[in-house]
Amino acid sequence: MADLRSVIEGLIRRPAFWRADPPLPTVLVTGDQAVAAIQQLAEPFEDCVPYAFVKDGEHASVLDLVKSLAGEHGQLGKPVGGSLLPPPRFPLAQFVLWAREQRDLPPPETGTWPPEPQSHTGYREFRKRLKSWRRRSSGGDRGVRTSADFLTRAATTWVPVGTLAVWWVGGASDLVGVIPWLFGALVALAGTAAQGMLSIRGSLFMRWLRTTPALRRKRFERLPQYALRLANSPAEEVEELLVHAMMQDLRDAYKKWIIPWPSWGRGLYALLAVQVDDPQGTNARFLGLIEEITKKSGLLAPMVVLAAVPEIPSRPQARPENLDNLEEVVRRWRGAARLGVPDLRVAVEATAPPEGTPAYRPPQPHRARARTYWAVMALLLVVPLALVGWIQRDRDEHCGGLLWAERIAGECVGIVNATRATPDGLFEGEVKDLIKKIDANNVYATSSGRYVSMVLFGEFSIRKTAPDDTRLPAAVSELAAVEEYQRTVTSTPRLRILIANAGDNFVHGQRTARLITEMAAQDPHVMAVVGLPRSVSGVSQAIKELHLAKIPMVASTATADRLGYVKKDDTSPDPDNPSPYFFHVAPTNYRQATLGARFVQKTLFPKLDEPAAAIVEDRSPSDEYTNNLADDFEQALKAERVRVKERIPYTVDEGGISAAAQKACRLRPDVLVYAGRASEFRAFLTAIEGQACGKVKVVAGDDVVKVVSDHGDEIADMKRVEVYHLTLASRLLWERDSATAFVSKLLNGAHATRSDDNLILTYDAVNVVYRAANDAYRAASTAGGLEDQRLPSRGDILYRLARTSGEAAWAGSSGVVDFNATERHTPTDKAIAIMRVARAPWGHARPVVRCGRLDTNEPPAAKDALCANLPDTPPTAAGQGFR
């Protein structure tokens, strides 16, 4: 025969966490050996579960009995050794006990005691006593441990919530830096403190008093007022409330709360052994109340009861109701059926002590379950802190939480204002100020609901490394042009500008382009990418990515002949096909090299049969502009019967411009052709001026425009050097009566310190895309489409850009915008000029020759020897690729 103690063990063992708690029985044992039987059955579990043994006659009332079980030092609330968990706590029962005990405590100096329930004096006295009791119960060593436990429970809830608050605030607002973390810490601390205090004071559980059937707390009734009412209530009602409260406290101790609670880890139910000798005594009354409350409320307390009783109490038979009360009988039946309470009585008779095995070992607390609980508790504290670190790292990597931007090597790369205004701290100076203006214009555009988006692709986090590094002024000029155009757009659709930063020297161009394509795949408002202002490898890589995504591109000041060429397929060694999605509004390197070569032969040295030239070139491997321009100059000079003595290389990174100038002087050329970048140009001229070169003429490419503007006096005052340079666009090329509206502003002094070529060509690049979008939008509106159907597609933009040719050409601020009707979308007969640096009232550079049309009504310069048949592209693709 199995040891009967294993049956009790089976009852008190809690099922797996994911299974519901079952009803637990009240085992009623009768017979001569009933007391010995329950003692023997319960004894092994005395130290491993919340346990109490109540002898008959020990307590004069149910209040005394419950106090011994659930009072401040009650047996069921004692710590269980080895459980690794705090014992059950009884805030409801202890409150009811305290309220009732006030009847028997010494009264105050004046007034009757206990006071009337509505007595204001009594209310004030009870409020004072309640405050004192709470303070006393939370003090001492045990109170400190209890407080620490409740605060820990609260922290494991509110630390994760605070972490979510950090993520929410940081991801859904413009707040960056420490503000999200301060907000998250405030949420965590406030939540922990609030829940901890509510738990320590018991207020977290007091809401149950508003639902109990006996002596229910009234709505808006203050707790001291309610306690005063309990002190005056009949003893029978208070006893029922007290037993009910104790059962509810036990239920809370085992309830599977949503928030972390020790109930998750409790593996053994409570065990209560009760000796009943007097059927009318306190213990019998207590058992009866448990059974009655379970029937009334459906409350299944997580406690196994072993009761030694003289006899099994008979159930009262319900007398038949009158037929007229059928409706009420059915209502009560339905209420009882909803409770679903089974018969919890298990009646057995003990005629002899149960047989036991001396070697029977009592069950140990479910430490695995308790350890799992503590592991979860630890994870709820550690994981959020780790998550905070991960969020911070992710926010740093995404420039403060931007969706389409990443932080790479200290730079914020990608679209910085795709979902919200650009965060502070990403850019500085004029770049920051202009982007703020663009973001403000974006709000106006998007609020209308009818807008198109354009991506400005540039380098806006430039690390200035040289005094004459013109990349930052160029970037500022591009932003100024875009902001000017966007602000003056008054037609529908409005224009939204998205800022795409490709990093210093466009080193992250490919990654930025991929972020643009990912964003454009989700945002149908994105029409095209403009900018791409320099012919460097990062821009070429970006063009390839945007080509694969079929996004139209319009470059501003990029001029390399084969910029925009892509491979036919992956097996092709070199790009040999122009992308149909790439357009540019600036003339090519070959056009400016040809004009420069003609100018050398026909204007500077018309009497020499074969003037000599030396080409000084920047041979930085990533700079496609300078390598291509030097190639074009060599080819064009030879075609014009100018002898190229030598091509003298230097690199920006390694320096060498002074040595290159010295070597060029030794060649004694008639003209020096500068195919380098602006940052070394002034040093090059200074070196030439100081060498024994004699008087020499210098012809430079378009990149030096800003250096000439900034240092015109110095360059004009040089005695041995006569400087000319090509320009792609300039306000000085226009007459006031024929200028466009934008150029008229420039002639009147607007943007006086900007770089004209970046300013004007970027303005035209934005203009040509917006014109295409506006035309497509108006066409859809005329057809009567719905609002979302009127939004142009990128295919519409591409089609209209390609058709900007012939009669559809128009006069831009940089001259006529007329893309030839070939696959290579190069502007036809685009305006280009050669400027001479000299002192003059109107500035330091004046045009000496200009080719190409500024206005569509202007006839081509057919008879001008310099401009006639000036090519737009190289005659063949062979040999003209950039390196």
Side-chain angles (χ1 to χ4, degrees):
M1 180 179 177
D3 195 318
L4 295 181
R5 289 172 291 190
S6 64
V7 178
I8 305 302
E9 180 180 347
L11 290 175
I12 64 173
R13 277 208 180 275
R14 200 174 184 191
F17 176 80
W18 54 88
R19 296 178 59 187
D21 288 305
L24 296 176
T26 297
V27 181
L28 301 178
V29 183
T30 63
D32 297 337
Q33 300 297 319
V35 175
I38 65 170
Q39 286 179 327
Q40 187 171 339
L41 291 174
E43 184 181 7
F45 313 106
E46 181 177 351
D47 297 323
C48 59
V49 298
Y51 170 82
F53 183 84
V54 183
K55 297 180 179 179
D56 196 68
E58 280 187 332
H59 305 291
S61 66
V62 172
L63 270 69
D64 290 339
L65 191 156
V66 173
K67 184 176 182 179
S68 71
L69 298 178
E72 293 183 18
H73 303 285
Q75 297 181 68
L76 293 179
K78 291 188 301 184
V80 177
S83 68
L84 305 179
L85 294 169
R89 297 194 173 97
F90 298 89
L92 292 171
Q94 289 172 14
F95 170 76
V96 177
L97 283 168
W98 171 85
R100 190 62 179 181
E101 287 173 348
Q102 300 312 300
R103 292 175 58 95
D104 304 322
L105 292 179
E109 295 180 1
T110 60
T112 59
W113 195 260
E116 294 295 327
Q118 302 303 323
S119 168
H120 182 65
T121 304
Y123 165 76
R124 293 175 59 186
E125 178 66 22
F126 265 66
R127 184 177 63 181
K128 183 175 68 174
R129 293 189 179 194
L130 178 62
K131 184 177 180 180
S132 175
W133 173 65
R134 280 177 165 171
R135 187 183 301 112
R136 185 180 66 255
S137 62
S138 60
D141 182 60
R142 185 171 181 180
V144 170
R145 289 199 303 269
T146 300
S147 299
D149 177 41
F150 278 126
L151 288 171
T152 302
R153 301 184 199 184
T156 55
T157 299
W158 289 98
V159 169
V161 172
T163 304
L164 293 176
V166 171
W167 172 82
W168 180 77
V169 172
S173 74
D174 292 337
L175 300 176
V176 293
V178 301
I179 294 179
W181 312 119
L182 291 177
F183 179 75
L186 180 63
V187 169
L189 290 174
T192 300
Q195 182 184 321
M197 288 304 300
L198 290 174
S199 299
I200 294 167
R201 291 165 58 91
S203 305
L204 185 66
F205 314 98
M206 292 300 174
R207 63 181 182 274
W208 174 83
L209 295 171
R210 301 187 186 276
T211 62
T212 177
L215 293 176
R216 180 175 301 177
R217 183 180 173 188
K218 300 175 183 177
R219 191 178 184 186
F220 305 120
E221 187 176 27
R222 296 182 179 181
L223 201 60
Q225 189 70 46
Y226 177 63
L228 179 57
R229 184 154 60 88
L230 293 183
N232 285 274
S233 298
E236 295 79 8
E237 295 183 15
V238 175
E239 288 175 351
E240 181 179 350
L241 173 65
L242 180 59
V243 174
H244 198 171
M246 186 194 76
M247 294 170 66
Q248 180 63 35
D249 283 330
L250 270 176
R251 182 176 174 83
D252 285 340
Y254 283 84
K255 177 182 176 182
K256 293 173 184 174
W257 296 75
I258 297 177
I259 60 177
W261 213 254
S263 57
W264 295 7
R266 300 191 195 278
L268 298 172
Y269 295 113
L271 178 62
L272 176 63
V274 182
Q275 177 187 358
V276 178
D277 291 336
D278 181 5
Q280 305 299 321
T282 298
N283 290 9
R285 163 87 172 143
F286 173 72
L287 291 179
L289 285 173
I290 290 179
E291 184 174 353
E292 182 180 346
I293 289 167
T294 301
K295 290 179 180 178
K296 285 183 178 180
S297 64
L299 177 62
L300 299 172
M303 177 175 64
V304 176
V305 179
L306 296 177
V309 296
E311 59 181 6
I312 305 299
S314 60
R315 297 184 181 277
Q317 299 296 321
R319 297 180 60 184
E321 294 276 356
N322 191 287
L323 183 60
D324 294 339
N325 295 332
L326 179 60
E327 182 179 359
E328 177 63 21
V329 172
V330 171
R331 186 189 64 78
R332 289 200 303 267
W333 176 85
R334 284 178 173 172
R338 277 196 301 268
L339 294 176
V341 178
D343 185 0
L344 301 183
R345 287 185 181 183
V346 175
V348 293
E349 184 178 6
T351 57
E355 295 182 5
T357 305
Y360 180 80
R361 298 181 59 185
Q364 295 300 314
H366 265 190
R367 290 187 177 182
R369 183 166 178 159
R371 289 192 182 103
T372 302
Y373 162 73
W374 286 114
V376 171
M377 292 277 282
L379 289 175
L380 287 172
L381 291 175
V382 173
V383 170
L385 295 177
L387 185 60
V388 164
W390 179 86
I391 291 173
Q392 180 63 54
R393 181 179 177 184
D394 181 71
R395 285 178 55 77
D396 288 342
E397 290 178 353
H398 290 84
C399 311
L402 299 180
L403 187 60
W404 308 110
E406 298 174 354
R407 191 173 296 280
I408 305 175
E411 293 184 278
C412 184
V413 173
I415 307 95
V416 298
N417 60 347
T419 56
R420 54 189 172 98
T422 307
D424 289 334
L426 299 187
F427 306 109
E428 299 176 351
E430 290 183 290
V431 171
K432 175 181 178 180
D433 296 339
L434 286 166
I435 290 178
K436 276 191 172 182
K437 291 181 180 180
I438 289 171
D439 287 336
N441 296 339
N442 284 344
V443 173
Y444 171 73
T446 55
S447 63
S448 70
R450 303 175 181 181
Y451 67 94
V452 292
S453 298
M454 204 179 302
V455 181
L456 177 63
F457 189 103
E459 51 179 343
F460 304 115
S461 54
I462 298 167
R463 301 182 180 97
K464 193 172 182 179
T465 57
D468 292 330
D469 191 342
T470 59
R471 293 175 301 149
L472 182 57
V476 171
S477 299
E478 292 156 16
L479 289 168
V482 169
E483 193 279 329
E484 174 86 19
Y485 188 90
Q486 182 192 30
R487 177 167 35 84
T488 55
V489 167
T490 57
S491 57
T492 300
R494 307 296 188 199
L495 178 59
R496 182 189 184 205
I497 298 296
L498 302 175
I499 306 297
N501 179 38
D504 185 44
N505 208 31
F506 290 96
V507 292
H508 304 297
Q510 185 175 36
R511 181 56 187 155
T512 302
R514 287 178 179 171
L515 291 168
I516 292 172
T517 60
E518 291 172 9
M519 178 200 64
Q522 300 184 25
D523 187 355
H525 290 270
V526 176
M527 298 291 106
V529 174
V530 298
L532 306 158
R534 296 205 295 130
S535 304
V536 294
S537 58
V539 171
S540 293
Q541 294 165 1
I543 290 171
K544 293 172 186 176
E545 293 293 333
L546 297 170
H547 164 82
L548 294 174
K550 300 181 179 180
I551 298 176
M553 299 162 272
V554 180
S556 55
T557 55
T559 57
D561 297 331
R562 291 169 62 84
L563 188 69
Y565 275 62
V566 294
K567 294 181 181 180
K568 284 183 180 179
D569 51 56
D570 292 336
T571 61
S572 242
D574 297 308
D576 53 7
N577 269 353
S579 169
Y581 306 101
F582 181 78
F583 301 76
H584 60 133
V585 293
T588 61
N589 278 353
Y590 191 77
R591 182 172 173 83
Q592 67 171 307
T594 303
L595 177 59
R598 290 182 182 182
F599 180 73
V600 169
Q601 175 62 58
K602 294 178 170 49
T603 302
L604 295 182
F605 304 102
K607 297 180 180 180
L608 294 181
D609 291 335
E610 195 177 50
I615 300 175
V616 178
E617 60 176 307
D618 176 7
R619 203 171 284 177
S620 298
S622 63
D623 199 327
E624 298 163 359
Y625 163 80
T626 56
N627 287 283
N628 175 231
L629 183 61
D631 289 343
D632 286 344
F633 263 124
E634 181 179 22
Q635 182 176 350
L637 288 167
K638 289 179 179 178
E640 293 295 327
R641 294 180 295 108
V642 177
R643 182 165 51 93
V644 178
K645 284 192 170 184
E646 191 173 340
R647 289 173 62 170
I648 304 167
Y650 76 95
T651 63
V652 174
D653 294 335
E654 298 178 3
I657 191 63
S658 297
Q662 184 179 11
K663 186 175 182 180
C665 279
R666 290 174 182 169
L667 296 173
R668 296 289 180 177
D670 297 302
V671 64
L672 289 172
V673 176
Y674 184 77
R677 285 293 184 184
S679 54
E680 290 77 38
F681 184 57
R682 190 159 63 100
F684 169 73
L685 294 179
T686 301
I688 294 295
E689 178 79 358
Q691 295 293 331
C693 289
K695 288 191 175 182
V696 67
K697 294 177 174 60
V698 173
V699 176
D702 65 277
D703 197 62
V704 304
V705 170
K706 190 66 171 70
V707 174
V708 171
S709 173
D710 292 343
H711 303 284
D713 284 343
E714 178 186 343
I715 297 173
D717 288 342
M718 289 182 175
K719 305 302 182 183
R720 298 174 179 271
V721 182
E722 187 176 306
V723 179
Y724 300 86
H725 68 83
L726 287 114
T727 186
L728 307 178
S730 172
R731 67 188 80 191
L732 298 177
L733 303 182
W734 290 85
E735 299 291 337
R736 287 184 179 273
D737 57 352
S738 61
T740 64
F742 181 59
V743 173
S744 294
K745 291 182 180 179
L746 302 182
L747 292 173
N748 288 327
H751 305 292
T753 61
R754 306 299 182 206
S755 176
D756 271 8
D757 50 356
N758 296 96
L759 189 71
I760 294 172
L761 287 167
T762 302
Y763 189 91
D764 276 359
V766 176
N767 195 359
V768 71
V769 174
Y770 182 77
R771 280 172 174 259
N774 185 262
D775 289 345
Y777 190 90
R778 284 192 293 108
S781 299
T782 304
L786 298 175
E787 184 59 40
D788 57 348
Q789 295 171 340
R790 296 178 190 177
L791 188 67
S793 68
R794 288 185 277 275
D796 295 330
I797 302 300
L798 179 65
Y799 172 75
R800 293 178 188 278
L801 287 175
R803 292 196 62 188
T804 305
S805 181
E807 294 183 358
W810 50 273
S813 296
S814 62
V816 174
V817 179
D818 183 355
F819 300 121
N820 58 38
T822 64
E823 290 182 354
R824 183 73 168 99
H825 297 132
T826 304
T828 300
D829 196 26
K830 190 60 189 287
I832 189 171
I834 293 179
M835 315 289 283
R836 179 180 179 179
V837 183
R839 282 188 174 273
W842 56 83
H844 303 295
R846 60 183 180 86
V848 294
V849 100
R850 189 259 296 176
C851 299
R853 296 178 300 158
L854 292 176
D855 191 89
T856 53
N857 296 322
E858 183 180 352
K863 297 181 180 180
D864 191 320
L866 292 177
C867 300
N869 300 316
L870 189 65
D872 298 311
T873 56
T876 63
Q880 298 301 320
F882 45 71
R883 301 171 189 173

